[in-house]
Amino acid sequence: MISLQPLPLNIVFVSQRTRLSHVLKSRNPRGAGVILLFWATLGLVLLLAACQPRPASLKIGLNSWPGFDVIAYAEATDIFERRGLEVELVRFDNAQDTTRAMMRGALDAAFVNLWDVLQADPAEDSPTYIMVTNVSNGSDGIVAHKEISSVEDLGGRRVGAKLGTVNHLILLEALQLHGVPAQAVELADVSNEIAVTQLRDDRLDAAVLWEPLLSQTADEIGGQVIYTTRDTDSVVIDGLATRGEMARSRRTALKQLVLAWFDVMHAIETQPEEVFEIVAERLGQDPAAFAEDYAGLEKGNIALNREMFEGGRLKDAIAQLTRLFEADPRHGRLLREDLQVDAAPVMSAIEEWQP
């Protein structure tokens, strides 16, 4: 069988020029007009293609958390494309690795907790917070054995919470709310999984966990949840962070990312079943269970971001986080003093966003 290969582009051009010359010599004005129209149309198509703006490319890191995972809806639909973006979502096992990769330049931005950004490793650039994605409102809490009925009862007890992590922050927030000094609690520096095991074996009196593990563990050990972040105006705040240089040089692309986030928030408010079904499918989870987990969060919509950036709530939260951090030096970490809050991308997106 003879294989017919397409002519190289330059050969096609020569052929058409030859044909045009032949037509002109034959004094066939109709044929010449057709050929001229062809080339004019081709030139216009190429010009329009060259003028089309290329999508802005962003590499964004995140770890598994319902408040972050909903961005997968934008990935599964045409939201990123409509906002002129090509977004690569890179998943990490823990928030510390996500923050570290962002600060070292392996990521353009990252969905991370404010507490983790404040403890980012030393780097040449400054961490910069540019949007809030959610605030914990019941998703996190403390589970204890049945003989412990309140946070006040934790004095002298052994409580599981990984030092320096958001779990440690949740414990400190609960202790402060109920007037219990941080040093009054014996802190076991263990992960969630180990904390659950040690609760079962009576090696811990209580542990900081998040849903659905929080309620499941309470039922399993015959204990009770003695505190959740719904009990206070929590400073367990999640959001989008980047580096100072990125916030300045990629301001337009970051604004488009915030617009895409607001599109997702609008979808959750108007068609939550579709959003949770699509996101849960991508994560290999049950949609109803994912929806229940997300229900324990205050959504990072336009209203919340206005409150955070315009109303001063974010600035107050950073001051409170600093006090909590200093109240328990057992974490052995240093607090970043150069954290920047850049409201420009989110405020610009708020002014521009339309449903």
Side-chain angles (χ1 to χ4, degrees):
M1 179 181 293
I2 299 175
S3 175
L4 298 178
Q5 300 293 329
L7 289 173
L9 191 58
N10 63 326
I11 296 177
V12 175
F13 286 172
V14 171
S15 174
Q16 293 293 348
R17 286 200 300 269
T18 304
R19 180 181 175 190
L20 176 59
S21 175
H22 173 75
V23 170
L24 292 174
K25 287 179 180 179
S26 67
R27 297 184 182 181
N28 183 346
R30 183 179 179 182
V34 170
I35 298 301
L36 289 172
L37 179 62
F38 167 79
W39 283 107
T41 303
L42 178 60
L44 180 60
V45 169
L46 294 175
L47 179 61
L48 290 174
C51 292
Q52 289 295 321
R54 294 183 177 180
S57 177
L58 290 173
K59 183 180 288 189
I60 311 297
L62 72 163
N63 59 291
S64 183
W65 175 245
F68 303 151
D69 288 330
V70 291
I71 195 63
Y73 181 74
E75 184 182 40
T77 59
D78 64 345
I79 288 177
F80 286 145
E81 182 181 356
R82 287 193 289 107
R83 293 300 180 183
L85 294 172
E86 287 182 355
V87 176
E88 179 185 356
L89 297 178
V90 183
R91 291 189 172 271
F92 292 80
D93 291 334
N94 60 70
Q96 290 75 27
D97 288 344
T98 310
T99 306
R100 191 174 296 114
M102 182 268 293
M103 291 304 300
R104 290 179 177 177
L107 301 169
D108 296 313
F111 290 109
V112 288
N113 188 273
L114 184 59
W115 176 257
D116 292 315
V117 174
L118 279 167
Q119 299 176 71
D121 291 341
E124 294 182 1
D125 208 343
S126 303
T128 305
Y129 226 59
I130 62 173
M131 184 183 72
V132 169
T133 60
N134 64 270
V135 178
S136 183
N137 187 31
S139 281
D140 305 280
I142 303 173
V143 58
H145 285 288
K146 60 183 179 181
E147 66 271 15
I148 300 172
S149 59
S150 68
V151 174
E152 288 86 343
D153 293 338
L154 292 178
R157 302 284 188 165
R158 183 172 170 81
V159 181
K162 192 70 178 173
L163 280 167
T165 67
V166 174
N167 280 18
H168 190 195
L169 165 61
I170 295 162
L171 175 61
L172 293 175
E173 186 175 59
L175 294 175
Q176 181 191 62
L177 179 66
H178 292 273
V180 180
Q183 303 294 330
V185 172
E186 181 184 351
L187 203 152
D189 184 18
V190 295
S191 66
N192 273 17
E193 295 76 13
I194 295 176
V196 171
T197 299
Q198 293 190 358
L199 273 172
R200 292 174 187 149
D201 298 340
D202 290 330
R203 287 184 285 164
L204 286 179
D205 298 301
V208 180
L209 302 172
W210 57 73
E211 294 291 7
L213 198 57
L214 180 67
S215 297
Q216 291 173 356
T217 303
D219 292 339
E220 185 177 345
I221 67 173
Q224 54 199 327
V225 175
I226 61 171
Y227 168 82
T228 76
T229 47
R230 189 174 287 114
D231 298 340
T232 186
D233 184 10
S234 180
V235 291
V236 181
I237 298 170
D238 295 307
L240 184 67
T242 186
R243 301 178 303 282
E245 184 276 330
M246 279 292 300
R248 294 185 294 272
S249 64
R250 302 295 305 279
R251 191 171 296 278
T252 299
L254 292 171
K255 182 198 71 174
Q256 296 303 112
L257 181 61
V258 176
L259 284 168
W261 177 264
F262 289 157
D263 292 338
V264 174
M265 293 295 99
H266 179 67
I268 290 175
E269 291 167 355
T270 57
Q271 49 193 38
E273 294 83 3
E274 175 184 313
V275 176
F276 296 142
E277 183 176 354
I278 289 175
V279 173
E281 181 180 358
R282 294 179 78 86
L283 298 174
Q285 298 180 13
D286 176 67
F290 182 85
E292 185 177 353
D293 293 344
Y294 190 79
L297 302 175
E298 185 180 359
K299 292 190 296 293
N301 54 19
I302 287 177
L304 179 61
N305 275 279
R306 278 194 185 278
E307 182 182 351
M308 286 289 177
F309 288 89
E310 280 189 331
R313 183 176 172 186
L314 190 59
K315 181 179 179 181
D316 292 342
I318 292 172
Q320 186 175 346
L321 286 169
T322 301
R323 291 192 294 271
L324 289 171
F325 188 89
E326 294 170 348
D328 190 359
R330 287 177 290 184
H331 47 68
R333 299 181 63 86
L334 296 175
L335 200 66
R336 293 291 295 248
E337 297 181 354
D338 61 345
L339 174 67
Q340 304 295 314
V341 174
D342 187 348
V346 72
M347 298 312 300
S348 178
I350 287 173
E351 294 302 316
E352 183 177 326
W353 188 85
Q354 294 289 335

